[in-house]
């Protein structure tokens, strides 16, 4: 497990060396900040419901941008050859990179603590949904990171990796809002597949094991597909 | 040390490596030679566990690549072609990262990094991002990376490609220095390099093994004959052919050219001698008896280049 920690450390530090990380963070904070505060005083409610409501769609665009370089860059410059001849297993490499992406997403959320803090001065803020929302946000970030990681392991081109990741995440985010196209018998299944549905549950402050299980299974599927993509390269 | 048997690998329909078998002994420097696209890199990638063979087996010590690839990776240091490294990382950070993953103990880590920096002359660039380094330095960082854990086996894919002559000599010196204790496999298409550094050469063409022998033997065996060039002043071609042709063991004399000069003709000839014989002494004594002036006398050992071309350009 030490190997995972070293790879994690290297990848996580790597984020802050390149300017992409800062661009992504600024983009994320600008978009969330603008959309949230633009309607805050119109709604006249001391809650972060709108902020968390937008998070799945914003993550759809931001998280694949965070993960796009993880494998694509290695394939492109060929450094995966050096990486894979080190005494590490595929799983250690994948986990190290995955955890680094999740940690980066979590780090990106830290500045947004300013939102609940300022609101708590303005009115009576219910902290339950806020804490639930942040837990959900990290879980959602992890699920999307695993998908982005898979997209990254499929191609050496970072742009293609971004687009693949974005499309998959977009489908997961939007599927529960497109249910009216589907026959009634399949509604339940597709609602369950949608990430937005589970995230809403958690961000209401209800932490249900089914929702947590959902996010963990998405992570598992993403990581497993990444593993298969790596195996295919041999 | 390393035992490769019937190694085969396809890329889709293309057979990149076709039933190659060879052994590498401990402490040997093996040169993997071949034209571009012969399959050198593919063989190395399979040796390092990067690619899976479609058939055949690789054993390193007692480990099989299918079952104990992690153990083999611990024994191996690999320098891929053109040393692909993380461009954003500083040289020191990178070497530290490698030292960590290679499980170098905490106490030894800095010493080991320093040792590698000295060996590969990296001290001036330790604080620079790898992406800003020149090709020669990148190659040396790659070498330092490959040797970090003091591996028993080093696999170097074209370690000198794209370097200037000074850097080539520097890298070669490093390879020779470390080659005294380690088993090294290096691929190259520069033949003088293989001649200069390798104990043994494996030549590959179109994925097939066409020669596997020590550098010395290969050079001798190539044509089964050796040549002596002689230039003589104040001589004429007819008598040269007559006199030297009489020497026992000379099978053929061919005229290279004849120059007219103020001191008479200068005759350049090429003597083909029977294999396995060294006729230099006899020929010299023969010439001494005449009043020709000996301007040039040298034995031509067929260089690896000729062999290489002979073996890889058929069909």
């Amino acid at each position: 497990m030490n190997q995972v920690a070293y790879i994690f450390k290297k990848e996580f530090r790597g984020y802050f060396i390149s300017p992409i990380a800062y661009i992504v963070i600024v983009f994320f904070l600008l978009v969330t900040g603008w959309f949230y505060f633009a309607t805050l005083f119109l709604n006249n409610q001391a809650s972060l419901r709108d902020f968390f409501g937008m998070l799945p769609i914003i993550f759809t665009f931001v998280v694949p941008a965070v993960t796009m370089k993880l494998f694509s860059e290695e394939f492109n410059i060929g450094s995966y050859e050096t990486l894979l001849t080190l005494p590490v297993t595929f799983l250690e490499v994948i986990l190290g990179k995955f955890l680094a992406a999740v940690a980066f997403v979590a780090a990106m959320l830290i500045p947004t603590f300013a939102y609940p803090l300022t609101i708590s001065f303005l009115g009576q803020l219910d902290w339950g949904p806020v804490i639930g929302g942040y837990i959900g946000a990290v879980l959602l970030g992890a699920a999307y990171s695993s998908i982005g990681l898979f997209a990254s392991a499929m191609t050496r081109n970072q742009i293609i990796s971004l687009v693949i990741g974005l499309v998959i995440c977009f489908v997961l985010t939007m599927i529960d809002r497109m249910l009216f196209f589907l026959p009634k018998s399949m509604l339940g299944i597709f609602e369950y597949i949608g990430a937005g549905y589970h995230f809403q549950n958690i961000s209401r402050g209800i932490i249900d094991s089914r929702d947590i299980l959902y996010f963990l299974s998405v992570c598992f599927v993403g990581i497993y597909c990444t593993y298969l993509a790596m195996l295919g390269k041999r | 040390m390393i035992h490769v048997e019937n190694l085969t690998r396809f890329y889709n329909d293309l057979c990149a490596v076709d039933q190659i078998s060879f052994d590498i002994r401990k402490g040997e420097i093996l040169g993997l030679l071949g034209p571009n696209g012969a399959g050198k890199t593919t063989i190395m990638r399979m040796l390092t566990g990067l690619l899976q063979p479609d058939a055949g087996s690789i054993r390193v010590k007692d480990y099989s690549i299918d079952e104990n690839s992690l153990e083999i990776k611990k024994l191996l240091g690999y320098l891929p072609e053109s040393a692909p490294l993380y461009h954003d990382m500083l040289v020191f950070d990178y070497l530290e990262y490698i030292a960590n993953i290679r499980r170098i103990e905490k106490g030894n880590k800095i010493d080991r990094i320093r040792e590698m920096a000295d060996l590969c002359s990296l001290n001036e660039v330790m604080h620079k991002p790898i992406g800003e380094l020149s090709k020669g330095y990148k190659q040396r960082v790659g070498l330092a990376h490959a040797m970090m854990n003091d591996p028993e086996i080093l696999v170097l894919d074209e370690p000198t490609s794209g370097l200037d002559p000074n850097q080539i000599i520097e890298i070669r010196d490093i390879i020779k220095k470390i080659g005294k204790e380690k088993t090294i496999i290096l691929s190259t298409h520069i033949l003088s390099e293989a001649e200069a550094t390798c104990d043994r050469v494996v030549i590959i063409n179109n994925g097939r093994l066409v020669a596997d022998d020590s550098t010395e033997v290969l050079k001798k065996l190539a044509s089964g004959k050796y040549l002596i060039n002689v230039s003589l002043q104040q001589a004429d071609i007819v008598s040269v052919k007559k006199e030297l042709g009489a020497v026992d063991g000379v099978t053929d004399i061919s005229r290279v050219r004849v120059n007219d000069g103020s001191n008479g003709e200068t005759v350049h000839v090429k003597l083909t001698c029977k294999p396995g014989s060294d006729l230099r002494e006899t020929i010299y004594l023969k010439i001494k008896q005449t009043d020709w002036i000996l301007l040039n006398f040298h034995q031509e050992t067929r260089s690896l280049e000729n062999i290489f071309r002979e073996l890889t350009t058929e069909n």
Side-chain angles (χ1 to χ4, degrees):
Chain A
M1 274 299 114
N2 256 340
Q3 311 292 66
V4 177
Y6 292 130
I7 292 173
F8 166 79
K9 205 171 117 190
K10 185 231 143 215
E11 293 294 339
F12 190 64
R13 276 174 73 178
Y15 273 126
F16 293 96
I17 295 172
S18 76
I20 294 181
Y22 297 102
I23 295 169
V24 167
I25 290 178
V26 166
F27 172 80
F28 173 73
L29 291 177
L30 264 181
V31 171
T32 52
W34 169 258
F35 279 111
Y36 178 52
F37 281 103
T39 56
L40 176 71
F41 294 105
L42 294 175
N43 289 346
N44 208 16
Q45 270 183 342
S47 85
L48 272 96
R49 183 170 292 178
D50 285 352
F51 167 66
F52 287 123
M54 278 180 328
L55 216 47
I57 191 73
I58 292 174
F59 269 9
T60 297
F61 290 91
V62 169
V63 176
V66 171
T67 54
M68 67 180 179
K69 72 157 198 168
L70 286 173
F71 279 109
S72 302
E73 196 182 30
E74 301 242 13
F75 294 143
N76 197 25
I77 62 176
S79 56
Y80 83 105
E81 280 193 43
T82 47
L83 177 65
L84 292 186
T85 51
L86 294 171
V88 290
T89 61
F90 282 169
L91 198 63
E92 286 167 341
V93 173
I94 294 169
L95 278 182
K97 284 175 182 286
F98 168 70
L99 292 176
V102 177
F104 183 81
V105 171
M108 198 166 68
L109 285 168
I110 289 172
T112 65
F113 288 166
Y115 306 164
L117 280 178
T118 43
I119 290 162
S120 69
F121 296 132
L122 296 175
Q124 207 62 32
L125 180 67
D126 183 2
W127 282 95
V130 174
I131 293 165
Y134 275 107
I135 293 172
V138 172
L139 285 172
L140 183 73
Y144 283 8
S145 293
S146 74
I147 291 165
L149 196 67
F150 166 60
S152 187
M154 287 209 289
T155 165
R156 57 192 300 165
N157 184 322
Q158 293 196 27
I159 304 295
I160 296 176
S161 147
L162 173 69
V163 174
I164 295 174
L166 206 148
V167 167
I168 302 176
C169 292
F170 192 78
V171 169
L172 278 186
T173 308
M174 287 310 201
I175 197 160
D176 60 337
R177 298 180 199 184
M178 299 287 164
L179 293 176
F180 50 84
F181 287 117
L182 297 165
K184 214 169 189 181
S185 55
M186 293 164 76
L187 280 186
I189 302 168
F190 278 92
E191 192 177 52
Y192 191 83
I193 290 175
Y197 164 74
H198 296 278
F199 180 71
Q200 270 165 22
N201 285 349
I202 294 187
S203 66
R204 272 190 218 118
I206 312 156
I207 296 176
D208 189 335
S209 56
R210 272 175 301 181
D211 300 322
I212 293 177
L213 195 68
Y214 167 80
F215 285 115
L216 293 183
S217 21
V218 173
C219 289
F220 175 79
V221 170
I223 288 172
Y224 188 68
C225 289
T226 313
Y227 179 73
L228 292 182
M230 299 273 289
L231 273 190
K233 295 258 177 209
R234 294 218 292 172
Chain B
M1 193 77 176
I2 302 175
H3 180 71
V4 176
E5 207 173 295
N6 288 331
L7 198 62
T8 306
R9 166 82 197 198
F10 289 90
Y11 288 125
N12 300 322
D13 286 338
L14 182 85
C15 186
V17 174
D18 190 3
Q19 303 203 352
I20 284 185
S21 309
F22 58 90
D23 278 293
I24 304 167
R25 285 180 290 275
K26 199 177 156 77
E28 201 169 38
I29 305 185
L30 179 87
L32 216 52
L33 255 69
N36 289 332
K40 300 176 299 248
T41 302
T42 310
I43 292 176
M44 295 195 142
R45 285 185 177 162
M46 286 192 279
L47 277 175
T48 51
L50 211 60
L51 286 177
Q52 248 178 348
D54 288 324
S57 70
I58 300 173
R59 297 191 70 82
V60 179
K61 284 184 138 182
D62 296 325
Y63 302 117
S64 147
I65 199 102
D66 301 322
E67 292 147 28
N68 319 87
S69 71
L70 209 61
E71 297 302 317
I72 293 180
K73 283 176 186 176
K74 284 179 189 167
L75 294 173
L76 276 173
Y78 177 46
L79 171 67
E81 193 177 349
S82 70
L85 306 163
Y86 303 107
H87 292 183
D88 292 336
M89 280 178 108
L90 304 184
V91 175
F92 177 82
D93 287 348
Y94 181 67
L95 292 181
E96 193 192 16
Y97 166 64
I98 298 298
N100 283 335
I101 292 218
R102 287 287 191 183
R103 295 178 192 275
I104 312 272
E105 288 163 46
K106 269 231 157 65
N108 288 339
K109 209 164 65 186
I110 293 294
D111 287 340
R112 186 70 194 149
I113 293 172
R114 200 167 284 154
E115 210 176 304
M116 285 298 105
D118 285 338
L119 180 65
C120 304
S121 332
L122 286 171
N123 283 316
E124 300 118 67
V125 297
M126 287 305 264
H127 58 280
K128 284 193 183 162
I130 293 172
E132 286 177 16
L133 300 182
S134 70
K135 199 148 189 239
Y137 269 116
K138 268 185 209 157
Q139 203 76 13
R140 285 189 235 171
V141 176
L143 261 181
H145 143 97
M147 294 188 296
M148 182 55 78
N149 60 330
D150 201 18
E152 291 182 47
I153 303 160
L154 267 174
V155 181
L156 311 173
D157 196 355
E158 306 210 351
T160 58
S161 76
L163 303 184
D164 72 38
N166 292 333
Q167 293 169 327
I168 289 180
I169 289 171
E170 280 171 35
I171 297 278
R172 249 184 232 169
D173 284 344
I174 297 176
I175 293 173
K176 271 191 175 165
K177 210 189 292 176
I178 53 181
K180 284 175 190 146
E181 299 133 42
K182 303 197 184 313
T183 310
I184 298 183
I185 306 159
L186 66 92
S187 81
T188 179
H189 50 239
I190 305 166
L191 296 143
S192 58
E193 180 164 291
E195 269 186 277
T197 43
C198 302
D199 305 322
R200 202 154 66 90
V201 171
V202 168
I203 302 179
I204 289 158
N205 189 34
N206 289 331
R208 256 176 246 118
L209 191 139
V210 289
D212 172 8
D213 233 317
S214 78
T215 329
E216 300 297 310
V217 174
L218 264 188
K219 272 196 260 179
K220 274 191 199 148
L221 279 186
S223 58
K225 59 194 174 188
Y226 74 93
L227 305 167
I228 295 176
N229 289 314
V230 182
S231 303
L232 297 162
Q233 214 173 40
Q234 293 180 5
D236 64 291
I237 184 75
V238 181
S239 55
V240 167
K241 277 195 171 174
K242 193 176 142 230
E243 289 289 329
L244 296 183
V247 175
D248 195 24
V250 175
T251 53
D252 186 38
I253 300 182
S254 59
R255 168 185 153 152
V256 178
R257 64 176 189 277
V258 176
N259 294 346
D260 274 324
S262 50
N263 307 328
E265 279 187 331
T266 307
V267 180
H268 305 270
V269 289
K270 190 176 276 230
L271 311 181
T272 309
C273 305
K274 260 213 299 229
S277 56
D278 189 351
L279 300 174
R280 280 174 297 179
E281 196 184 335
T282 339
I283 293 169
Y284 171 69
L285 290 173
K286 192 85 178 178
I287 293 170
K288 218 168 93 177
Q289 287 163 16
T290 67
D291 38 349
W292 303 331
I293 297 166
L294 183 59
L295 292 184
N296 176 27
F297 187 74
H298 99 268
Q299 182 175 336
E300 189 180 299
T301 41
R302 309 243 326 176
S303 68
L304 219 45
E305 200 149 344
N306 304 5
I307 306 163
F308 182 79
R309 296 197 50 178
E310 234 167 69
L311 289 171
T312 56
T313 48
E314 311 164 52
N315 314 327

